[in-house]
Amino acid sequence: LAHTSRTMPVRYDLSIINGQPQNPLFSEASVQKLIEEFETRDDDIFVCAYVKSGMTWTQQIINLILNEGNEPLKTYSEAVPWLETAFAGG
């Protein structure tokens, strides 16, 4: 008995800011502020991926690797922040 399931394509209406697709909930001004004001540290690790490609899963793996497989002391959102949310308020 074979079961056939159909998947529906997911459509994301992304904003284009500086030629790059962005979450439509973030204003262009907030993304521009992030670009202009963000300062990196020597120990920063960047995980870059496209929408719905496993970013959160990858970030969690990196967080566990950095903590040698132990439960981290920081919460997930503290240890692995999303840059875009830093200035999401606009």
Side-chain angles (χ1 to χ4, degrees), residues 15-71:
S15 299
I16 303 299
I17 301 174
N18 289 347
Q20 299 299 314
Q22 300 291 333
N23 183 324
L25 300 177
F26 302 141
S27 71
E28 184 169 350
S30 67
V31 173
Q32 194 61 41
K33 182 177 179 180
L34 172 63
I35 291 167
E36 293 170 2
E37 297 182 9
F38 181 77
E39 294 184 25
T40 61
R41 300 178 310 211
D42 289 341
D43 62 346
D44 282 341
I45 297 172
F46 290 87
V47 179
C48 305
Y50 197 72
V51 177
K52 306 304 287 177
S53 65
M55 170 81 85
T56 301
W57 180 74
T58 303
Q59 287 174 307
Q60 290 184 27
I61 291 170
I62 291 170
N63 197 23
L64 285 169
I65 290 170
L66 292 173
N67 289 283
E68 299 177 354
N70 297 313
E71 185 174 343

Side-chain angles (χ1 to χ4, degrees), residues 2 5 29 36 39 51 73 75 78 90:
S5 67
E36 293 170 2
E39 294 184 25
V51 177
L73 297 175
T75 66
E78 291 171 330

